[in-house]
Amino acid sequence: MQLQQISVLEETLWQAVLNRDPTFEGKFFYGVHSTGVYCRPICPSRRPNRNQVCFFQSAQEAENAGFRPCKRCQPQSEKFLNPAKAKVLAACRYIEAQVDHIPTLSELCSQVGMSSSYLQKVFKQIIGVSPFQYADALRSQRLKQHLQSGEEIAHAVYDTGYGSSSQLYEKAPKQLGMTPKTYQQAGKRISIVYAIALCPLGYLLVATTEKGICAVKLVVCPINFAGL
């Protein structure tokens, strides 16, 4: 990994530690040289100085480097699971199972036992988008799969939970980057521009046409934290 890429990655991880970012939970651990302790990024303990911090991909890697687990966030415990995170994951699984419609917020709340305002808040903190945006993205992905398989557009619309064809065509520029018919034809005669960037989870590809984004792909690959 190039020095510049390492610096960008370190800064991303450090910002996650400073913000106690829950979306990075389980993805890395950080050690503090002055105390010899390693923690989860969401640890409630006081933030250390940046020059005392190093990063690890796993708890075992941190312990192999001579660090001991924090008594507050218990990073060595695989059973540790934030209750709110567990409920958000349950909400995700429920959304994924509803292939014919997007669940309402009240429907989700009744499934996971949370208030609507709190579910909205923690869902976005952990997943990065609202429950509706998550469900809408899944619906768009299902539509793409149906169109790629050659299914008629009218059937694909209703099989994937769109209320009407007009609703699909309204969203098509942002979700497909082209008309459903053109997408069904694998973007024939459409100019597609793409870019690839390194991110904490691997490589991210974003492709776009003149009408909008047509693809976002993440290639997850292991990152060697030991060399940081």
Side-chain angles (χ1 to χ4, degrees), residues 12 14 34 43 74 80 83 89 91 98 141 168 183 189 225:
T12 299
W14 175 237
S34 58
C43 183
Q74 301 177 33
F80 177 88
L89 291 176
Q98 312 311 306
Q141 187 59 39
L168 168 61
Y183 190 90
R189 292 191 293 275
F225 287 84

Side-chain angles (χ1 to χ4, degrees), residues 7-21:
S7 298
V8 171
L9 176 59
E10 282 191 320
E11 180 59 27
T12 299
L13 301 181
W14 175 237
Q15 288 302 316
V17 170
L18 289 179
N19 299 327
R20 296 183 174 86
D21 191 338

